[in-house]
Amino acid sequence: MEYCCIEASHVADLGRMVEPGRFSCGESSCDLHSRDQSSHKACRPRMVIWPLCQEEVSRILFYADEHVIPVTAWGMGSSLEGNPIPVSGGIVLNFSTMNRIIRVRDEDFQADLEPGVIYQNLNETLRHRGLFFPPDPGARATIGGMIGNNASGSRTVRYGATKDHVMRLKVVLAGGEIMELGTRASKSSSGYDLLHLFVGSEGTLGIVVEATLRLSAIPSEFSAAIASFDSAASAAGAVFEIRRAGLDPIALEFLSIECMELVAREMGIALKVSPTLFMEFAGASAGYLKDVVDTAGEICRENGCLDYESGIGRDRRDRMFKARHSLGETIVRNHPDRKVMTTDVAVPISRFPSMIAFAEQESAATGLPRYMFSHAGDGNIHLVLLGKKEDEAEGCIVEEINRKIVLKAIEMGGTATGEHGVGIGKRCFMEKEHGTSLGWMKRIKGLFDPKGILNPGKIFP
Ligand SMILES: Cc1cc2nc3c(=O)[nH]c(=O)nc-3n(C[C@H](O)[C@H](O)[C@H](O)COP(=O)(O)OP(=O)(O)OC[C@H]3O[C@@H](n4cnc5c(N)ncnc54)[C@H](O)[C@@H]3O)c2cc1C
């Protein structure tokens, strides 16, 4: 695609569309929007704009489309596959200035939000009303970015991913048209499901300027348990059995021995250092929960569990979750001389033990530092493999392991990306995963964005 060579006149035109202070061509602003949290190559935009309302977004997109200037939406830039990197330069729209919780509709379990709302802030507001928005990617992330990547997290096993919570969207299309999608009804059979086409589209079809999200009630009782196993294989085996028993955990996370060693050391938590399942259950009564947790314990013991600790208090549970959520950052901090590569595949739950075994075997053979953790209940596996920075040979080994794991997941009927999105990093696997339907995705992209100005260079090989 041939994009416009941005001249001083374009800069001046765009600068006039927003108040001073919400537009910058400065080096530091452009640098800050040149990379996400991945190791993908940084690319600077030509300018950053902080819009305040949907009309401003519409005017900017109208202008950008007319002049064929690339536009990339930006939430917090916490993506792990290069999703918001403006690879063709142009404009970055940073949504931190559109961060209003417009209305919480307690009576309908819904909230209307601007895209720049940070989900942790939303949940802090909702807590007092006994409600919450369940998908929790862990990193600080915006609702717009979560919709862009169809993010999910440790509670997805029970509550679903972001897409399961998006009921209504207002999006601005490439030419500036503002389109509303979806309804406030909790179900609908009305027409093509265009709404969900936009969820997970990484800002390549349109830009979200408002969303109505489905909320859940905070359960009255929680109970957590930690099960330590003699091997990753036996821990993985227990996951299937827990799911099959219908215990319906709200979190079912796997941490490898390397992760447990790091968590115990870094967080000062007394933990058994062995492959571990961290589980959380919720319900209306303590009695019911005790039965559930006891049954989970029996299943774990039958699957080679060495130690099962249940009835974990809120404080310890919160510390465990915090440790789990900050694992990514903890790994980076502990290996300042190494480049981080995080795989993100998901497989059918029956294939989870085989996938864990494959990733274990392949990564062990490299001799490189490695950490495996997983939203096990969803069959979603992350392997962090660390090659030395500037060491090309180690970089190639890491890439090759990632490639092998992704291809294995696809071969098992799974996906190249469980939750981080395609971005730049997973483009090369799209054909393998989607076959001829990739051609239809391209046609859809062409229909909504014929000049290819929206987040170019993403998703498609
Ligand atoms: C330590 C760490 C742990 C993580 N753990 C998880 C995890 O468990 N699960 C998970 O799913 N992810 C995880 N992530 C990845 C990331 O946090 C999520 O994908 C998150 O949803 C990205 O949100 P963001 O606000 O940072 O979006 P950004 O990274 O800024 O953008 C994400 C994508 O959405 C697009 N976008 C942004 N705003 C809009 C908008 N208004 N309209 C349309 N498109 C838009 C962008 O162009 C981009 O393509 C993790 C990241 C880190 C650093």
Side-chain angles (χ1 to χ4, degrees), residues 83-125:
N83 323 47
I85 297 179
V87 292
S88 301
I91 304 166
V92 159
L93 289 182
N94 179 320
F95 281 96
S96 59
T97 38
M98 282 180 70
N99 63 351
R100 282 182 312 136
I101 297 175
I102 301 165
R103 185 165 165 199
V104 178
R105 301 165 184 272
D106 302 56
E107 64 289 359
D108 284 324
F109 296 92
Q110 291 171 20
D112 299 339
L113 308 157
E114 288 188 330
V117 171
I118 291 171
Y119 86 92
Q120 287 97 336
N121 295 351
L122 172 65
N123 278 339
E124 193 47 41
T125 303

Side-chain angles (χ1 to χ4, degrees), residues 367-395:
L368 296 174
R370 66 197 173 120
Y371 298 88
M372 188 150 50
F373 45 95
S374 156
H375 302 306
D378 304 317
N380 185 189
I381 296 167
H382 300 310
L383 168 74
V384 174
L385 205 52
L386 299 133
K388 277 194 227 69
K389 280 181 184 161
E390 322 297 341
D391 185 326
E392 241 176 72
E394 286 196 356

Side-chain angles (χ1 to χ4, degrees), residues 37 72-80 83-84 95 115 137 139 141-142 144-146 148-149 151-153 202-203 206-208 329 375 419-420 455:
Q37 293 289 318
T72 303
W74 188 277
M76 289 290 285
S78 73
S79 289
L80 294 170
N83 323 47
F95 281 96
T142 62
M146 289 180 70
N149 286 351
S152 55
E202 303 183 18
I207 292 193
V208 175
E329 287 149 31
H375 302 306
E419 55 185 20
H420 296 165
N455 201 7

Side-chain angles (χ1 to χ4, degrees), residues 199-439:
V199 185
S201 67
E202 303 183 18
T204 61
L205 297 179
I207 292 193
V208 175
V209 286
E210 193 182 306
T212 297
L213 300 182
R214 187 194 307 277
L215 308 173
S216 294
I218 299 177
S220 48
E221 299 285 342
F222 290 90
S223 188
I226 300 177
S228 316
F229 290 82
D230 54 356
S231 69
S234 44
V239 169
F240 168 68
E241 297 296 344
I242 290 167
R243 293 288 316 269
R244 192 165 66 153
L247 300 182
D248 207 11
I250 60 168
L252 180 46
E253 300 279 303
F254 165 78
L255 288 93
S256 70
I257 192 164
E258 295 83 6
C259 293
M260 292 304 288
E261 199 272 324
L262 196 63
V263 166
R265 178 157 46 87
E266 280 279 316
M267 305 292 288
I269 306 178
L271 288 166
K272 201 170 170 55
V273 175
S274 60
T276 295
L277 289 182
F278 180 62
M279 289 162 265
E280 194 178 17
F281 301 92
S285 83
Y288 162 78
L289 273 184
K290 187 176 177 316
D291 288 348
V292 167
V293 171
D294 287 350
T295 308
E298 277 166 35
I299 293 172
C300 288
R301 279 183 213 101
E302 281 162 14
N303 280 275
C305 172
L306 305 171
D307 195 49
Y308 184 75
E309 188 188 349
S310 61
I312 291 164
R314 199 169 278 257
D315 182 48
R316 197 161 140 87
R317 177 203 73 171
D318 289 349
R319 289 178 72 200
M320 247 334 263
F321 257 109
K322 195 165 167 229
R324 164 65 188 87
H325 275 146
S326 43
L327 249 181
E329 287 149 31
T330 313
I331 293 169
V332 173
R333 204 174 50 249
N334 273 266
H335 298 278
D337 56 333
R338 288 181 181 266
K339 194 166 149 183
V340 176
M341 193 282 305
T342 310
T343 61
D344 164 42
V345 294
V347 292
I349 199 73
S350 62
R351 309 305 305 272
F352 180 68
S354 317
M355 192 69 233
I356 288 275
F358 183 80
E360 269 254 299
Q361 185 191 323
E362 291 292 331
S363 58
T366 66
L368 296 174
R370 66 197 173 120
Y371 298 88
M372 188 150 50
F373 45 95
S374 156
H375 302 306
D378 304 317
N380 185 189
I381 296 167
H382 300 310
L383 168 74
V384 174
L385 205 52
L386 299 133
K388 277 194 227 69
K389 280 181 184 161
E390 322 297 341
D391 185 326
E392 241 176 72
E394 286 196 356
C396 289
I397 293 171
V398 169
E399 280 307 316
E400 180 55 14
I401 298 296
N402 182 43
R403 197 184 69 84
K404 279 187 174 176
I405 290 176
V406 172
L407 293 180
K408 190 71 170 178
I410 295 173
E411 186 192 306
M412 288 178 170
T415 173
T417 165
E419 55 185 20
H420 296 165
V422 181
I424 299 167
K426 294 287 170 63
R427 287 177 307 180
C428 57
F429 303 110
M430 288 300 95
E431 198 138 12
K432 181 90 185 157
E433 180 169 339
H434 296 288
T436 53
S437 70
L438 188 67

Side-chain angles (χ1 to χ4, degrees), residues 1-7 10 64 66-70 88 90:
M1 185 65 64
E2 276 286 304
Y3 294 108
C4 154
C5 175
I6 300 176
E7 315 260 351
H10 298 118
E66 197 172 59
H67 296 272
V68 200
I69 299 172
S88 301

